[in-house]
Amino acid sequence: MKTSENGAVAALAPGKRIGIIGAGAMGGALLRGVLGSGVALDAVWAATKSDASARTVASEFGIATHTTYAELTSSSDVLLLAVKPAQLETALRELSAAGLRADTLIISVAAGVSIERIEKALGGSNPVIRAMPNTPSFVGQGMTAIAGGSLATKEHLAIAERLFGAVGLCITIEERLLNAVTAISGSGPAYVYLIIEALADAGVRVGLPRDVAMTLVAQTVLGAAVMVQESDRHPAALRDDVTTPAGCTIGALLVLEDGKIRSVLARAVEEARNVLEGTSR
Ligand SMILES: NC(=O)c1ccc[n+]([C@@H]2O[C@H](COP(=O)([O-])OP(=O)(O)OC[C@H]3O[C@@H](n4cnc5c(N)ncnc54)[C@H](OP(=O)(O)O)[C@@H]3O)[C@@H](O)[C@H]2O)c1
């Protein structure tokens, strides 16, 4: 994260007040990552639906957390919406009723909800950015893709890039690709957790204590990902480095191919995308 000498808020969004509406799994992950990167606490506030959640969030992150937030809404420059897609319409109505300013930047992370829908719900006067982050933002290793609506300027996109860049990688893409992004990197951590769990079970099957198996698997997945990012080589070339002729790795890889691992993964991602687009059978 790029921090300024007198605090990171200046680098993130100079002089801007940021509200995070919805501080559950995703909003909480972003809060944790952003605050951990040095943002001054008084410039960020959060909102939840219930008092119980507000108390938990306030004590966990040490920031003001509210269940009614009209005054804060009208004095905020950036509002990050991290409520469930089904809760978004209500939250947008509440924001409009709270006197939302037309120049307040709205950033939504709601999966499958288009910029057009959000713009319409707000009367078409606010700049809107749709973002798809993922939960590893919690540990500063998130992956976020953002797309800007018709009123979103380069400066607005730069604010979102800095916000999500504080908790991992952030790229800007066309909105039409965001459901595909969601199916890969939004849902992706869940696929990887399943694979990690399965590999740890496999380690137990061949005699390793479970904690040892989990340590080996998690570090191996992390190491392989960093190799792909940093070596600039194709995964197939990296795989060849591990594959000794007539050795154990090629034997295991053939078993994985027998199980159609490539098409299973591709079909899973396609299904996630179809669910988002309402075309799942
Ligand atoms: N989880 C992921 O991996 C992931 C990845 C990418 C994107 N997303 C997106 O992130 C969004 C949030 O998902 P989540 O998994 O974080 O959901 P979640 O854990 O259920 O959190 C939702 C949060 O919104 C609050 N809330 C609901 N209605 C509200 C309102 N009217 N005003 C203020 N706060 C309100 C809830 O408060 P209470 O606790 O009081 O109910 C809770 O803090 C979704 O749109 C999802 O598509 C999630």
Side-chain angles (χ1 to χ4, degrees), residues 271 274-275 278-281:
E271 175 62 11
N274 290 349
V275 168
T279 56
S280 170
R281 279 177 288 132

Side-chain angles (χ1 to χ4, degrees), residues 82-109:
V83 300
K84 289 275 188 205
Q87 301 167 321
L88 192 63
E89 299 285 340
T90 309
L92 291 171
R93 261 200 312 277
E94 284 170 0
L95 292 182
S96 295
L100 176 70
R101 295 195 327 250
D103 65 337
T104 297
L105 170 62
I106 303 294
I107 304 175
S108 164
V109 301

Side-chain angles (χ1 to χ4, degrees), residues 79-252:
L79 290 175
L80 176 78
L81 306 184
V83 300
K84 289 275 188 205
Q87 301 167 321
L88 192 63
E89 299 285 340
T90 309
L92 291 171
R93 261 200 312 277
E94 284 170 0
L95 292 182
S96 295
L100 176 70
R101 295 195 327 250
D103 65 337
T104 297
L105 170 62
I106 303 294
I107 304 175
S108 164
V109 301
V113 182
S114 71
I115 292 173
E116 191 186 7
R117 228 172 104 191
I118 297 167
E119 284 177 341
K120 267 194 188 151
L122 293 175
S125 46
N126 285 85
V128 175
I129 289 175
R130 187 174 154 198
M132 183 42 56
N134 64 11
T135 50
S137 301
F138 195 81
V139 292
Q141 293 294 340
M143 180 67 240
T144 305
I146 59 172
S150 53
L151 297 177
T153 62
K154 271 189 192 157
E155 287 70 32
H156 292 131
L157 285 166
I159 289 174
E161 273 164 15
R162 286 197 293 274
L163 179 70
F164 294 108
V167 292
L169 292 182
C170 181
I171 58 166
T172 300
I173 59 161
E174 289 175 58
E175 190 193 10
R176 68 181 179 83
L177 295 174
L178 272 184
N179 286 339
V181 166
T182 308
I184 288 284
S185 55
S187 304
Y191 316 152
V192 177
Y193 297 140
L194 179 68
I195 290 167
I196 288 175
E197 185 193 346
L199 281 174
D201 274 349
V204 173
R205 172 74 178 136
V206 293
L208 295 171
R210 182 161 294 278
D211 59 335
V212 173
M214 197 58 84
T215 301
L216 295 179
V217 172
Q219 181 61 23
T220 300
V221 170
L222 178 66
V226 175
M227 285 290 281
V228 171
Q229 279 187 327
E230 292 189 358
S231 71
D232 212 20
R233 292 172 69 209
H234 193 283
L238 293 167
R239 205 177 60 222
D240 283 351
D241 292 347
V242 194
T243 315
T244 313
C248 60
T249 308
I250 188 68

